[in-house]
Structure formats: structure tokens, C-alpha cells
Amino acid sequence: MKTPTYQGSKSNKIKFLIGGGLFLVALVIMIISATRATAEFFITIRELQGSKDKYADQNLRVSGAVLGDSIQYDTNTGYLHFTIVHIPGDDDEIEALGGLEVALHQAVENPDNPQLDVIYQGAQPDMLKHEAQAIITGQLNVDGVFEAEELLLKCPSKYEEAVPNQVEDF
């Protein structure tokens, strides 16, 4: 007696494997496109100004030193306008200059340093002042103005360690 072969079951296995493979390919494509859409490039002002077309319509994160004279806040619209200047993006380079506070000071004192105009809608932060480090996230518009969606500020002199002298002998 002959054992029956089930061609339908073999065909179903092949269909299942092909369907599963197509599903995995589609899933990988969706993950890659979602990652690219939400990815942020951290670049310096000098890099941004050297390749504005390359970074058009991309989420960017840029850091720079705030020029205090440029800060303007419109209370009617809630828009904050200010300018930041290039600071090195490498921590070793900043340390070689003498630390962040020195690097920020040197950056705003150099009139040849690349600058970036920024617009941000939101409340004016208390820490937004001359020589503060601004870390902004957003996009560069067609006019070359950076439209910030997120604004973070660091003021290195505010965070200097204020540890009292320790008593050596008890």
C-alpha cells in the first residue's frame, strides 16, 4: 500500500516561508525609514555653514556660544531670536583651549567666528545670556535661520564646584 503524499502541505510550507520572509523584509524597511526620519545629526556651526544643502530638511542638533547682544524676545508672539557662534565639537579640543568656560569666551570674542541665527518659540529661559552654551535641536530653514524646537542651556560658571576647604585634622 502506498502512503499518500500531501502536496498541499508542502505548498503551504513554501507559502508560509515566503510570506514570513516578505513580512521580515517589510519590517526591516519600516525600521530603517523610521530611524532615518527621527535621526538627529550633531554638527558644529562651521560644518552646517559649509554644507547647508546637505542638511536641508533634516533634524539637527547644534551647539554654540550665545551672543548676549543678539537676544530679542517678542512677548506678543512668544518668539525668541538670538545668535550663537561656533565652538569646537570635540571635548579634547575644548579641554586644550582651557575648558568650556574659556572656549565659550574665546568664541564670542572672535569676530571671524561662524555665526548662526536662531528662532525659538517658547518662554525665554533665565540662563539665556552672553557666553552661555546653547544646544539647539531643530531644522535650518530656507533663509538660513535655525528653527529650534528644543533649547538647552549650559552656563559653566554657574556649575563650578564650590566645595569648601576640608579640615585636615579632626
Side-chain angles (χ1 to χ4, degrees):
M1 189 160 161
K2 228 174 169 183
T3 54
T5 58
Y6 296 103
Q7 291 293 344
S9 105
K10 194 174 191 180
S11 172
N12 285 341
K13 284 183 182 180
I14 292 172
K15 288 179 186 176
F16 179 75
L17 290 173
I18 290 172
L22 290 174
F23 176 77
L24 288 175
V25 168
L27 185 63
V28 168
I29 290 171
M30 287 177 19
I31 290 171
I32 290 171
S33 65
T35 302
R36 283 188 178 171
T38 59
E40 292 175 352
F41 295 100
F42 187 77
I43 60 173
T44 65
I45 295 172
R46 186 168 283 135
E47 291 169 336
L48 178 60
Q49 292 191 342
S51 304
K52 286 183 180 181
D53 294 337
K54 177 181 175 182
Y55 295 111
D57 299 327
Q58 292 188 26
N59 290 330
L60 304 171
R61 180 169 279 183
V62 182
S63 177
V66 175
L67 289 177
D69 294 341
S70 71
I71 300 170
Q72 299 174 358
Y73 184 69
D74 186 340
T75 56
N76 295 327
T77 63
Y79 279 100
L80 176 63
H81 300 264
F82 61 97
T83 301
I84 60 175
V85 296
H86 173 80
I87 59 172
D90 183 26
D91 289 339
D92 293 335
E93 208 175 326
I94 290 173
E95 286 303 315
L97 291 171
L100 183 58
E101 188 171 6
V102 174
L104 293 170
H105 178 72
Q106 289 177 356
V108 298
E109 294 297 317
N110 182 354
D112 298 326
N113 214 355
Q115 299 183 356
L116 179 64
D117 291 326
V118 179
I119 186 168
Y120 171 75
Q121 186 173 21
Q124 182 174 350
D126 292 336
M127 289 180 49
L128 183 66
K129 62 182 184 176
H130 188 64
E131 294 185 13
Q133 180 186 13
I135 302 168
I136 53 176
T137 304
Q139 295 182 343
L140 192 66
N141 70 19
V142 294
D143 297 326
V145 176
F146 195 90
E147 295 179 1
E149 298 169 2
E150 183 179 8
L151 170 62
L152 302 171
L153 295 161
K154 285 185 186 178
C155 184
S157 62
K158 186 172 183 171
Y159 297 110
E160 287 178 0
E161 289 186 1
V163 179
N165 292 332
Q166 300 294 320
V167 177
E168 293 181 23
D169 296 323
F170 289 102

